[in-house]
Amino acid sequence: ADKGRKSKVANEDSVILKEVDQALEEDRTWNFFRQHGPALIGAAVVIVAGVAGWQLWNHMRTEQAMEQALEYRNALELLEEDREAGRAALEAVAEESGGYAALASLQEASSYAAGGERLKALEIYRGVASGNAPKRIRELASLRAGYLALADGRDAVMGDVSDIAES
């Protein structure tokens, strides 16, 4: 019976020690959150706001790209129906910044070249070649300008395509 009582007392002591340890841990946790809680909540708010801002920015960029693609497509369709109106629409797209600006300029220049307005096409191609379009588009514009410059002689052609040979 003495053994049973000692075992029961040991179990009660163990339970009391666990409760004391648990209370101490709760106090430490509460003190930690009282001390660092506002900073942790502030950091969480900043992270959530940053992610929301990034998502909003990506959504706006996607919407803008979709609008430009639609304007570009509409300008190409208009070019098939009415050359002058299509050129004006392509020029409007080319004046906007974005991925379709250089493509619209190339298409507009191509329209002028097909219509026999070589000098106007050359002007636009050279503008794209010296602009801030991606490298491959600038090179394509240089090649097309060089092709149209064949009538002006070797020096004119070399002036347009010499940058391609250097890169």
Side-chain angles (χ1 to χ4, degrees):
D2 197 32
K3 225 180 187 186
R5 193 181 309 153
K6 284 184 181 180
S7 171
K8 190 175 182 183
V9 170
N11 282 341
E12 288 175 6
D13 288 346
S14 174
V15 168
I16 291 173
L17 286 175
K18 284 181 183 179
E19 288 177 2
V20 168
D21 284 344
Q22 185 178 2
L24 286 173
E25 185 61 33
E26 286 175 3
D27 283 344
R28 277 184 251 156
T29 303
W30 181 248
N31 286 333
F32 175 81
F33 279 112
R34 222 176 312 150
Q35 185 178 11
H36 301 291
L40 292 173
I41 291 171
V45 167
V46 166
I47 289 171
V48 168
V51 169
W54 182 72
Q55 288 292 334
L56 178 64
W57 181 71
N58 275 338
H59 175 72
M60 290 175 66
R61 270 189 26 200
T62 302
E63 287 293 317
Q64 183 182 22
M66 288 173 52
E67 286 175 17
Q68 285 181 340
L70 184 61
E71 287 176 21
Y72 179 70
R73 189 192 79 195
N74 289 341
L76 290 178
E77 289 174 357
L78 187 58
L79 184 65
E80 291 178 12
E81 297 170 13
D82 180 4
R83 182 176 284 178
E84 290 304 316
R87 287 176 181 169
L90 284 169
E91 189 173 341
V93 172
E95 289 175 359
E96 297 176 10
S97 62
Y100 289 94
L103 294 176
S105 293
L106 289 176
Q107 192 66 41
E108 180 186 7
S110 177
S111 169
Y112 280 113
E117 299 178 56
R118 185 179 69 84
L119 294 179
K120 182 68 176 168
L122 263 172
E123 176 186 336
I124 295 171
Y125 281 137
R126 287 174 177 159
V128 172
S130 63
N132 60 355
K135 181 181 178 185
R136 297 298 179 213
I137 291 178
R138 288 191 323 264
E139 289 175 347
L140 175 62
S142 293
L143 282 174
R144 288 185 175 182
Y147 177 75
L148 289 178
L150 283 172
D152 298 332
R154 181 183 186 282
D155 291 338
V157 172
M158 291 309 294
D160 288 320
V161 297
S162 63
D163 290 341
I164 297 173
E166 293 173 5
S167 53

